[in-house]
Amino acid sequence: MSFLRIENLSKSYQLRKAFGGRSKEQVHAVDNVSFEVQKGETLGIVGESGCGKSTLGRTIVRLEEPTSGRIFFDEEELTSKSQSQLRVVRKKIQMIFQDPYASLNPRWSVMDIVTEPLREHHMVMGPTALRDKAVELLKSVGLSAQDLDRFPHQFSGGQRQRISIARALAVSPEFLVCDEPTSALDVSVQAQVLNLMQDLQAQRGLTYVNLDEIEVDDDERSSGLLVPEELLDLCAQLGQWDSLWEKDHLLGRGVTWTTAGERYRYCGPDAT
């Protein structure tokens, strides 16, 4: 039984004319995507910039409304639910955004940022209980209680992403969509954040969908689908996934591979 199942998911945007009004033309950001993720598994989706990865992630968590298709989480269909009905589900599904600085309110302290989901879902009440929970969350991502009263601009990029992860973990989710969680970080910090996410997955039994970027040049695009060896070499240039791969575990579609329960799928514009 799949923990997450996506069936023929599409998301299109209506173009607007230069002087107002709507055009008949549409941009198809996500077109007929289907996949399944098992509980406790990591599914990596990699593709070129602009191929629709972020839109796919935001549509899965219903921050964007799908144009068509269905989303099932733990055998429960999400596409038919209203925003009020989704409140219960949102405690189980959270998202880590690409830019940790842009996704954190610069006017809020770390205390306010980390405890916002707890206040929104009425999970912890009272200032003392909230502060204790915030300290627990910060420690779980390698930060300290002294960081609670600081503001986002006072942290490095890696520390800000740890704050974003702590916020996502506040409501004890079971499933995380991670939109290029290390792309805005220095190479020296990327491995630290990825190791943290692996540790949290082992401790909490989390299920991940990781979205990441890959560069494909014109020769590779014109030749159609990349062969697995070339794809692995290109991905290794990102410096993020190489420790997770084994070429012996390729699944045979040429764009999907697995190792130790983790699967990766190339979803560039030429994927079939």
Side-chain angles (χ1 to χ4, degrees):
M1 182 175 65
S2 302
F3 195 49
L4 175 75
R5 187 169 80 254
I6 305 299
E7 295 183 353
N8 307 117
L9 191 66
S10 296
K11 174 63 181 178
S12 300
Y13 295 95
Q14 193 83 35
L15 295 179
R16 292 184 177 275
K17 296 181 179 179
F19 299 100
R22 290 181 176 270
S23 169
K24 293 183 179 180
E25 297 182 16
Q26 291 185 329
V27 173
H28 300 285
V30 178
D31 192 11
N32 200 33
V33 173
S34 299
F35 60 83
E36 297 182 1
V37 186
Q38 305 302 319
K39 189 174 180 64
E41 184 181 52
T42 297
L43 173 67
I45 301 177
V46 293
E48 295 177 83
S49 177
C51 75
K53 301 183 305 297
S54 295
T55 302
L56 173 61
R58 293 173 64 87
T59 305
I60 291 173
V61 299
R62 289 286 304 277
L63 292 178
E64 297 277 359
E65 292 298 322
T67 303
S68 62
R70 298 195 295 176
I71 304 167
F72 293 88
F73 176 74
D74 203 13
E75 296 302 309
E76 184 178 9
E77 186 174 1
L78 303 186
T79 40
S80 60
K81 291 184 177 296
S82 65
Q83 289 298 322
S84 60
Q85 292 172 325
L86 283 172
R87 284 182 60 86
V88 177
V89 182
R90 292 199 190 282
K91 289 191 288 186
K92 300 179 181 180
I93 302 177
Q94 290 290 305
M95 187 167 184
I96 300 172
F97 296 93
Q98 180 174 349
D99 186 346
Y101 192 72
S103 65
L104 301 177
N105 190 330
R107 297 179 180 272
W108 283 14
S109 68
V110 173
M111 171 71 180
D112 295 328
I113 291 169
V114 172
T115 59
E116 180 190 16
L118 298 171
R119 300 192 306 271
E120 182 69 21
H121 291 282
H122 309 289
M123 295 181 67
V124 177
M125 305 300 291
T128 301
L130 279 172
R131 193 170 186 87
D132 290 344
K133 182 63 176 179
V135 170
E136 176 188 331
L137 288 166
L138 287 189
K139 288 182 176 179
S140 72
V141 297
L143 298 175
S144 67
Q146 287 70 35
D147 295 321
L148 278 177
D149 298 316
R150 299 171 66 192
F151 291 83
H153 72 273
Q154 296 176 291
F155 294 90
S156 67
Q159 289 173 321
R160 287 196 289 265
Q161 194 61 294
R162 289 172 184 264
I163 295 169
S164 297
I165 295 172
R167 176 180 60 183
L169 295 176
V171 291
S172 299
E174 301 174 32
F175 175 74
L176 288 178
V177 175
C178 310
D179 185 8
E180 299 188 42
T182 61
S183 65
L185 307 179
D186 292 336
V187 174
S188 60
V189 181
Q190 291 176 354
Q192 298 175 17
V193 173
L194 288 174
N195 288 336
L196 169 64
M197 293 176 65
Q198 284 185 291
D199 291 341
L200 291 170
Q201 184 178 37
Q203 295 166 9
R204 296 169 175 256
L206 295 170
T207 303
Y208 290 149
V209 167
N210 277 338
L211 310 171
D212 219 327
E213 183 176 335
I214 183 174
E215 294 183 5
V216 181
D217 63 31
D218 291 337
D219 290 339
E220 288 154 348
R221 186 180 294 106
S222 63
S223 64
L225 210 58
L226 297 175
V227 301
E229 288 78 13
E230 291 172 339
L231 179 59
L232 289 173
D233 291 340
L234 283 170
C235 291
Q237 295 173 13
L238 297 173
Q240 297 182 19
W241 304 106
D242 51 340
S243 63
L244 303 178
W245 297 336
E246 284 187 23
K247 294 182 181 179
D248 294 338
H249 290 261
L250 292 167
L251 289 182
R253 286 186 57 188
V255 293
T256 309
W257 64 96
T258 183
T259 174
E262 294 153 341
R263 292 190 291 128
Y264 302 88
R265 177 178 287 109
Y266 174 59
C267 70
D270 297 313
T272 56

